[in-house]
Amino acid sequence: MKMRTVVTVLGTRPEIIKLSPLIPLLSERFRHILVHSGQHYSFEMDAVFFEELGLPAPDYTLAVGSASHGEQTARMLSRLEPILLATRPDMVLVQGDTNTAMAGGLCAAKLNIPVAHLEAGGRSFNRQMPEELNRIILDHISTLLLAADETAERNLLAEGLPPARIRTVGSSVIDAVERNRQHARRSTILQRLEVTPGNYLVLTLHRSENTTPNVLPGMIRALGELAEEHTIVFLLHPRTAAAMRTCGIEMPRSIRVSEPLGYLDTLRLVEQARALLTDSGGLQEEAGALGTPALILRNETEWRYLVDAGRHVLIGNTCESILAWARHWLQPEALARLRAAPAPIRSGASERAVAAMIDVLESIA
Ligand code: UD1
C-alpha cells in the first residue's frame, strides 16, 4: 500500500492528552501532519503538554485564539481548508467534542476527506452543552467512529449510524495514564502545594453549563463550605476565573487555589488525593485509572462506565445537592466502598484505533 497521509487536528488540553499515545503510532504508519487550531494557547493550557508528553511541534498552527463559538469555529474552518487542500490527506483524525474537533471534521467532510472520530458516541443527552452539539455533528459526518465503550456504541446505533462504521476500541486516556504514571511519581506537586497523601480533595470546574451566573455562585458557595471541612485544592481553569470575575464572585478563603497544572503534576496530585471533585470528562477517566474516586459535579456524564461500576458518583451542580452528596460520599466508609469497586479499565485503545484507521484506508482503493 502506498504511504497514506493522515492529518490530525487538535487544539485544546484534553485533545493533546488523549491523542498523545496515538501520535507516535500515526507517525510510524503514515505521513502524519499535525495541525494545532490554537483554541488553547497559553503555556499552562497547551505548550506544557507538548513538552511533557514529548510530542512533535505542530506542522501548522491556525492561531484562532478565544472568541465566540461562531467566530472561533469560522476562523478554524477558513484557516484549515487551504491546508487540507494543499496536503491532500487520505484521512483526518479528530478527537472528542471541542470546537476544534467539530471544525476539523466538518472542514474535511466538506472536502470529501474521510474523517476518523476518536471518542465517538459519547452523549450527555443535554443539547444545551456546546460539546453535545459538536459530538452529534461530528459523528454524523465521520467515516470511522472510534467508540470508547459499549454505551457509546449503542448511542451511535440508536441514532441510525451504520454498524460498519463503528469500532469500539476503548479510551486512549487510559494509555496516556499508563505511560506516564511512573514518570509522574517524580513530581513534587504535593510538597509545592503543601498537602499530604490522602488528606486533600482536588477540584476542577470549567464546563460552560457550570460557569453561568445562575449556576456558578451556588457551586462556589457549596465548595467554599465544604472546604471548611476538607482541604480542597482548586485547579482554576481560565474560563472559570473569567466567569467568577464577571459574576462578581469572591473566591472563598477556605479554598486553596492553584493555576492549571501540567499533566504529570495533575496525575500525581489526583493519584494521591482522597477524592476528586470535577466536571471534566478526561479527569473522570484518569481518576478511574489512578484508583481515585470522583464526585462528579454534574447531573449526567458521557463516561458512564465508571459510574455504572460504582467507582464514581454524580453529585449534581446545585449548592444543596453538592453539599448533601459530597458530605455523604466523603465519609470514610462510603469512600472506601467507591475505592473498592472494581473499575473496568482497558488499555490498548490507541493501537486499536490506529489499526482501525489502517483497515479503513486499505479498504478505500
Ligand atoms: C474547551 C472545550 C471543552 C474542554 C475544555 C478543556 C469547546 C466547546 N469546549 O473549553 O469541551 O473541556 O476546552 O479546557 O470547545 N483561555 C486562556 N488560555 C487558553 C485557553 C483559553 O486563558 O489557553 C481562556 C480564554 O479567556 C477563553 C476561555 O479560557 O475565553 C475559554 O476557552 P475556550 O477555548 O473558549 O474553551 P474552554 O472553556 O477551554
Side-chain angles (χ1 to χ4, degrees):
M1 192 178 74
K2 82 170 171 59
M3 187 69 140
R4 303 289 193 152
T5 300
V6 169
V7 167
T8 298
V9 185
L10 48 66
T12 66
R13 181 170 67 172
E15 291 165 302
I16 301 165
I17 294 169
K18 292 176 185 182
L19 285 163
S20 67
L22 277 81
I23 288 173
L25 304 175
L26 294 166
S27 304
E28 262 170 40
R29 302 304 300 260
F30 304 111
R31 171 178 166 244
H32 183 233
I33 297 170
L34 192 59
V35 179
H36 192 310
S37 70
Q39 179 172 349
H40 284 176
Y41 45 81
S42 41
F43 177 79
E44 68 274 13
M45 295 295 285
D46 174 41
V48 63
F49 299 99
F50 274 84
E51 250 177 51
E52 289 186 332
L53 293 161
L55 298 176
D59 299 287
Y60 295 91
T61 305
L62 310 181
V64 299
S66 296
S68 67
H69 283 259
E71 176 65 33
Q72 191 179 55
T73 309
R75 283 183 202 161
M76 289 174 190
L77 288 170
S78 68
R79 293 178 195 182
L80 180 60
E81 192 170 52
I83 296 170
L84 295 184
L85 286 170
T87 55
R88 302 165 56 87
D90 298 289
M91 183 172 264
V92 167
L93 171 67
V94 293
Q95 187 283 330
D97 55 22
T98 65
N99 291 341
T100 295
M102 198 278 283
L106 186 58
C107 194
K110 290 211 168 211
L111 295 171
N112 287 321
I113 301 165
V115 176
H117 181 207
L118 184 64
E119 202 179 276
R123 293 290 181 273
S124 62
F125 302 101
N126 173 3
R127 289 205 182 195
Q128 301 301 311
M129 293 175 66
E131 290 86 355
E132 184 76 352
L133 298 178
N134 288 341
R135 292 181 191 117
I136 294 170
I137 294 166
L138 258 177
D139 286 337
H140 286 259
I141 58 174
S142 294
T143 304
L144 176 59
L145 297 162
L146 299 162
D149 59 17
E150 285 65 30
T151 308
E153 185 180 332
R154 271 198 303 278
N155 292 339
L156 293 167
L157 293 171
E159 289 176 20
L161 287 158
R165 278 197 216 160
I166 307 170
R167 303 287 178 92
T168 302
V169 295
S171 170
S172 61
V173 177
I174 309 300
D175 298 337
V177 172
E178 288 185 355
R179 272 164 203 227
N180 292 291
R181 186 177 189 165
Q182 206 53 36
H183 197 34
R185 301 233 154 99
R186 290 205 292 272
S187 153
T188 55
I189 190 63
L190 272 71
Q191 294 91 305
R192 274 153 42 220
L193 291 172
E194 298 178 355
V195 289
T196 52
N199 283 324
Y200 61 91
L201 309 175
V202 176
L203 166 64
T204 83
L205 168 60
H206 75 278
R207 288 260 165 221
S208 68
E209 69 274 20
N210 280 343
T211 48
T212 63
N214 293 336
V215 176
L216 190 59
M219 294 189 82
I220 298 292
R221 213 172 334 116
L223 294 162
E225 212 173 297
L226 205 60
E228 312 271 350
E229 298 154 30
H230 302 266
T231 301
I232 295 186
V233 179
F234 189 2
L235 308 182
L236 189 58
H237 188 288
R239 169 205 279 282
T240 314
M244 288 183 70
R245 280 193 299 275
T246 312
C247 301
I249 306 170
E250 293 266 331
M251 183 65 75
R253 290 175 45 166
S254 51
I255 296 181
R256 295 206 202 172
V257 180
S258 157
E259 300 280 294
L261 298 177
Y263 184 57
L264 300 176
D265 283 343
T266 306
L267 286 187
R268 183 66 178 159
L269 192 67
V270 171
E271 183 185 51
Q272 297 298 316
R274 186 179 305 147
L276 169 71
L277 294 156
T278 194
D279 64 356
S280 147
L283 267 174
Q284 289 174 42
E285 292 195 282
E286 283 160 354
L290 292 166
T292 303
L295 278 49
I296 301 166
L297 300 162
R298 298 177 56 189
N299 296 312
E300 75 284 293
T301 176
E302 301 77 344
W303 294 268
R304 280 249 31 128
Y305 69 101
L306 291 163
V307 173
D308 291 341
R311 170 62 68 90
H312 295 343
V313 286
L314 293 163
I315 65 167
N317 63 355
T318 63
C319 183
E320 297 71 31
S321 75
I322 292 170
L323 274 177
W325 287 112
R327 283 181 176 138
H328 170 82
W329 286 111
L330 290 171
Q331 286 170 33
E333 318 75 61
L335 260 188
R337 271 207 308 283
L338 296 179
R339 273 186 187 276
I345 299 292
R346 250 199 313 177
S347 57
S350 313
E351 280 82 5
R352 286 191 287 275
V354 174
M357 290 171 69
I358 292 170
D359 257 14
V360 169
L361 285 171
E362 280 178 351
S363 72
I364 303 171

